[in-house]
Amino acid sequence: MSDSIKHECGIALLRLKKPLEFFKEKYGTAFYGIQKMYLLMEKQHNRGQDGAGFASIKLDVSPGERYISRIRSNDAQPIQDIFSQINERINSEMEQHPEYNDNINLLKRDVPYVGELFLGHVRYGTFGKNNIESVHPFLRQNNWMHRNLIVAGNFNMTNVNELFNSLVELGQHPKEMTDTVTVMEKIGHFLDDEVTELYQNCKNKGLSKREASPVIAEQLNVSKILKKASRGWDGGYAMAGLFGHGDAFVFRDPAGIRPAYFYEDDEIVVVASERPAIQTVFNVDFDKVRELNPGNALIVKKNGYVSEEEIISPLEKKACSFERIYFSRGSDAEIYQERKALGKLVLPSVLNAIGNDTDNTVFSYIPNTAETSFFGMVEAAQDFLNQRKNKFIIENRKTLTKEKLEQILSVKIRTEKIAIKDAKLRTFITEDKSRDDLVAHVYDVTYGVVQPTDNLVVIDDSIVRGTTLKMSILKMLNRLKPKKIVIVSSAPQIRYPDCYGIDMAKLEGLIAFKAALLLLQERNLYHIVEEVYQKCKAQEFLKDSEIRNFVTEIYSPFHEQEISDKIAEMLSSSDINSEVKIIFQSIDNLHIACPKNLGDWYFTGNYPTPGGNRVVNRAFINFFEGKDTRAY
């Protein structure tokens, strides 16, 4: 994705089902869990580089012994930072106490982070300050072991205000109006209720508070807590939680918007946001790693019993398609093939743009994450070329000479590494004209491989705002002086804000929205903007379930290609001599390529939860009223 956007988060939960002695004997280290957590988080660093956090819980400790450890960082390299601190602390303890090498019980008792239950998080901040207080995991502390709660997640809620107010109605005084705090406090409230109820039952049976504690740990109903806490939640989420005594859960939203995968054997239970992280770190086969079902929670009890339980009735599955196009690592077997399919399916539009002239066309990609879809596009182009060769040979088989046949067979699709990102731009010059010149030189090109008679086709993952295209990429490609530049997006036009994890909260930042507005102006249809505004305002006090997305009417007068052509016009400038063409993936082809991830609301406006319609209408109202604020 040439446009920089913040998105998503990544989670990793690991429970060791055997004693630490087992891992010391089999794998040669009592730090097996910590080492695996480092790998799980590092393998998901693509999901968040603004911050990282790690928490651990020791099981079955004596009163007075520390059993919860947590560390967080918003350093420039947060994963390395937290594990560097952990390693330094552990090495220091081991140097001072060599007896720990031979006594696992002492090691576990006295050395922080050494335990059986771990939770890790990597974060991209979608809104709010990127300070350490915003970094997961969050911790809710209590002297009752069972009431300690650690939460980390990949989620955004569309109705934070409503959730905040519900906590106030419960008599609480939340310290922040953020979805993470409100969600954690909601879970914490019903955790307190559950513990109180179980304690009362124990008291009625004549048990003391001390005698009741292990009974509460055994009987704590995590499913019941989550069912009560999640009433009224609207958003996309995959959240993980640890309770102080050792229970744990991972809970996925009912539309399956945010991803979660897990694996279990007799040694461990592990959950992560991406399947390849689990496959690689634990060396397990693709089919052994399962996807957590929408609306379900994977619950791990302190005794090691694992169950998948339905918490909320599943909705129609609308797993995020951006996961497949861009966010997740392409090393997943399915995602790799899906990205290749995206490139293959967009080729007919490319051929139409270049008049089927593959002989005078160079194919490339930008940025590196678009390489897989580039492979698919080039394979499809080679198939097209082979069909053309076969047709020519069959039609001219009687007169074809050996030299001519060799000449035909030697023709190949021309592919080159065109774009090279030289350096990260340092915006130390604030004067606009000078800064724009710097931006234009972020990328460099490979000279000498494109001729003035050539078309240059470059595929990108997606085009969001178009800023990098306009200020850098097109100017860079223009230095090669091709007759035509064709920019191909493996994703459809992004027309609507996202409110479930991606940082696309404002309509006016989207290049497709800007193009539609210009077309409305040019065709004397701008009155539609006022009409949509009035319709959105009329819905402000309706229930979420009653709200419609009227912003679709901004786009309805135009065909997709009309908007694409207007985008090409907007992104071109007087100093670009080549003809510029922009091609977007179609919605139908997106669904063909990614059949299991049909969440497409940022392309179609079909939001999977009622809160999404409120968000898009609020985003339009903000745009119309000139308010530079988020819609959720």
Side-chain angles (χ1 to χ4, degrees):
M1 183 179 295
S2 54
D3 284 316
S4 176
I5 66 171
K6 299 293 182 72
H7 60 84
E8 303 285 357
C9 292
I11 57 173
L13 185 149
L14 176 62
R15 166 64 195 276
L16 306 182
K17 296 168 70 175
K18 301 281 190 180
L20 294 182
E21 291 88 345
F22 171 86
F23 296 96
K24 176 72 179 294
E25 182 176 343
K26 182 172 182 178
Y27 299 104
T29 177
F31 308 118
Y32 176 88
I34 297 173
Q35 292 174 355
K36 291 299 186 182
M37 284 297 295
Y38 169 71
L39 292 172
L40 284 170
M41 292 173 66
E42 193 60 66
K43 292 296 181 183
Q44 297 183 101
H45 79 270
N46 55 295
R47 304 188 70 85
Q49 297 165 37
D50 284 344
F54 173 90
S56 66
I57 290 181
K58 305 173 188 284
L59 302 183
D60 299 316
V61 300
S62 300
E65 296 175 1
R66 182 177 178 180
Y67 59 96
I68 294 177
S69 297
R70 180 182 63 148
I71 184 170
R72 299 180 293 174
S73 173
N74 60 347
D75 187 79
Q77 295 183 309
I79 300 174
Q80 290 86 342
D81 182 43
I82 62 175
F83 281 96
S84 174
Q85 292 185 56
I86 290 171
N87 286 338
E88 287 178 9
R89 179 66 187 277
I90 290 175
N91 289 337
S92 174
E93 294 283 350
M94 297 297 288
E95 288 175 5
Q96 295 178 44
H97 301 279
E99 66 272 17
Y100 290 163
N101 286 302
D102 300 316
N103 193 322
I104 296 294
N105 291 331
L106 287 178
L107 176 72
K108 176 183 169 180
R109 186 192 69 185
D110 296 338
V111 179
Y113 310 110
V114 179
E116 295 90 351
L117 183 56
F118 308 92
L119 178 60
H121 188 265
V122 292
R123 175 182 185 267
Y124 265 126
T126 52
F127 64 92
K129 295 179 181 179
N130 185 34
N131 52 33
I132 195 68
E133 288 78 16
S134 300
V135 179
H136 301 208
F138 281 57
L139 173 61
R140 187 177 191 262
Q141 292 181 291
N142 194 286
N143 273 344
W144 280 59
M145 182 179 282
H146 329 85
R147 294 190 181 188
N148 282 285
L149 174 64
I150 305 171
V151 171
N154 169 19
F155 62 91
N156 269 348
M157 296 298 177
T158 69
N159 58 339
V160 177
N161 290 347
E162 180 183 324
L163 296 175
F164 180 89
N165 291 333
S166 70
L167 289 174
V168 174
E169 291 298 318
L170 290 171
Q172 294 193 15
H173 191 92
K175 63 180 181 179
E176 291 182 65
M177 191 182 288
T178 62
D179 50 9
T180 307
V181 170
T182 52
V183 163
M184 182 178 68
E185 291 301 331
K186 202 73 179 289
I187 296 172
H189 172 81
F190 289 105
L191 169 63
D192 290 344
D193 280 357
E194 175 74 0
V195 171
T196 300
E197 182 180 329
L198 289 172
Y199 169 66
Q200 191 60 48
N201 292 339
C202 292
K203 185 178 179 181
N204 293 340
K205 295 177 181 178
L207 299 180
S208 68
K209 290 182 178 180
R210 186 169 185 173
E211 292 170 331
S213 188
V215 177
I216 294 172
E218 180 182 349
Q219 296 183 0
L220 192 75
N221 190 330
V222 180
S223 176
K224 178 182 174 182
I225 294 168
L226 293 177
K227 286 177 181 177
K228 289 183 175 181
S230 60
R231 289 172 186 165
W233 288 1
D234 188 291
Y237 48 88
M239 66 181 67
L242 314 179
F243 299 103
H245 65 282
D247 285 358
F249 70 87
V250 177
F251 179 24
R252 191 179 184 195
D253 67 86
I257 297 170
R258 299 271 69 87
Y261 297 88
F262 70 95
Y263 167 76
E264 179 191 8
D265 60 25
D266 61 346
E267 296 180 7
I268 56 109
V269 183
V270 58
V271 187
S273 294
E274 297 192 18
R275 175 167 33 206
I278 297 175
Q279 286 184 257
T280 301
V281 173
F282 293 95
N283 191 28
V284 295
D285 294 336
F286 176 94
D287 57 1
K288 296 291 179 62
V289 182
R290 296 168 54 192
E291 183 177 4
L292 182 60
N293 287 315
N296 282 24
L298 188 76
I299 297 173
V300 184
K301 292 294 291 179
K302 177 182 177 290
N303 61 13
Y305 179 75
V306 180
S307 62
E308 183 178 357
E309 301 183 33
E310 183 178 298
I311 306 300
I312 303 176
S313 297
L315 304 172
E316 181 183 2
K317 189 177 180 183
K318 292 290 184 180
C320 175
S321 57
F322 249 131
E323 282 284 341
R324 322 301 276 190
I325 297 168
Y326 174 71
F327 292 150
S328 295
R329 284 194 174 189
S331 54
D332 183 278
E334 288 184 344
I335 293 175
Y336 184 80
Q337 294 303 324
E338 289 168 9
R339 290 181 182 175
K340 286 187 70 174
L342 288 168
K344 177 180 179 180
L345 291 168
V346 82
L347 181 73
S349 297
V350 174
L351 293 174
N352 183 60
I354 63 175
N356 291 339
D357 184 11
T358 55
D359 293 344
N360 294 297
T361 298
V362 174
F363 292 86
S364 192
Y365 59 92
I366 188 171
N368 288 340
T369 51
E371 186 177 18
T372 305
S373 57
F374 164 76
F375 288 151
M377 180 176 66
V378 169
E379 285 183 10
Q382 191 63 55
D383 290 341
F384 166 81
L385 180 59
N386 289 339
Q387 291 171 10
R388 195 176 71 185
K389 289 179 181 180
N390 291 339
K391 182 179 179 182
F392 182 86
I393 292 170
I394 291 171
E395 291 178 349
N396 298 275
R397 61 185 181 278
K398 294 182 179 180
T399 58
L400 202 61
T401 65
K402 179 181 178 182
E403 291 77 14
K404 184 63 176 177
L405 178 61
E406 289 178 349
Q407 180 185 354
I408 293 168
L409 293 177
S410 67
V411 176
K412 298 179 181 178
I413 294 297
R414 297 165 60 193
T415 61
E416 302 290 351
K417 176 72 172 177
I418 293 293
I420 304 165
K421 194 167 186 179
D422 261 354
K424 185 175 182 180
L425 174 69
R426 302 290 182 184
T427 55
F428 52 87
I429 297 176
T430 58
E431 193 267 316
D432 287 345
K433 189 173 182 179
S434 299
R435 184 183 181 280
D436 289 349
D437 184 62
L438 282 174
V439 175
H441 291 84
V442 171
Y443 288 92
D444 205 351
V445 289
T446 304
Y447 292 98
V449 295
V450 177
Q451 304 303 317
T453 55
D454 285 335
N455 305 300
L456 178 55
V457 175
V458 178
I459 191 167
D460 193 351
D461 305 289
S462 60
I463 301 170
V464 185
R465 303 181 184 100
T467 307
T468 308
L469 267 179
K470 182 178 180 67
M471 301 309 302
S472 180
I473 294 173
L474 284 173
K475 291 181 179 181
M476 173 265 293
L477 298 177
N478 186 63
R479 292 179 220 153
L480 299 175
K481 297 181 173 61
K483 69 177 181 181
K484 179 185 283 190
I485 299 172
V486 182
I487 301 294
V488 184
S489 170
S490 68
Q493 295 169 5
I494 298 172
R495 298 181 169 191
Y496 306 93
D498 182 65
C499 51
Y500 305 115
I502 309 167
D503 188 21
M504 296 190 299
K506 300 176 184 178
L507 275 167
E508 58 268 30
L510 306 177
I511 189 67
F513 182 72
K514 293 178 181 178
L517 293 180
L518 285 176
L519 287 171
L520 289 172
Q521 285 180 327
E522 293 171 1
R523 301 184 188 181
N524 296 319
L525 295 172
Y526 208 78
H527 59 88
I528 292 175
V529 176
E530 170 76 29
E531 292 167 2
V532 170
Y533 170 70
Q534 295 298 338
K535 291 176 180 178
C536 291
K537 287 291 286 186
Q539 298 186 108
E540 279 195 291
F541 300 104
L542 296 180
K543 296 179 180 178
D544 283 354
S545 59
E546 298 173 344
I547 295 177
R548 285 179 52 198
N549 177 5
F550 285 110
V551 183
T552 57
E553 296 180 10
I554 296 295
Y555 300 97
S556 57
F558 313 115
H559 187 272
E560 289 179 9
Q561 192 56 51
E562 291 179 279
I563 295 177
S564 297
D565 291 342
K566 177 55 66 175
I567 292 173
E569 180 184 318
M570 294 167 63
L571 298 182
S572 300
S573 58
S574 58
D575 56 348
I576 294 179
N577 302 316
S578 304
E579 179 188 350
V580 176
K581 183 81 171 178
I582 306 286
I583 294 172
F584 287 88
Q585 188 73 261
S586 72
I587 299 295
D588 289 342
N589 283 342
L590 170 68
H591 291 170
I592 292 170
C594 307
K596 296 180 181 179
N597 284 56
L598 300 178
D600 59 8
W601 52 92
Y602 16 68
F603 308 128
T604 64
N606 297 326
Y607 287 87
T609 75
N613 289 333
R614 180 177 293 281
V615 167
V616 68
N617 285 354
R618 169 49 58 188
F620 190 83
I621 291 171
N622 290 342
F623 150 74
F624 190 90
E625 295 179 351
K627 295 179 180 178
D628 185 20
T629 186
R630 304 180 65 87
Y632 61 94

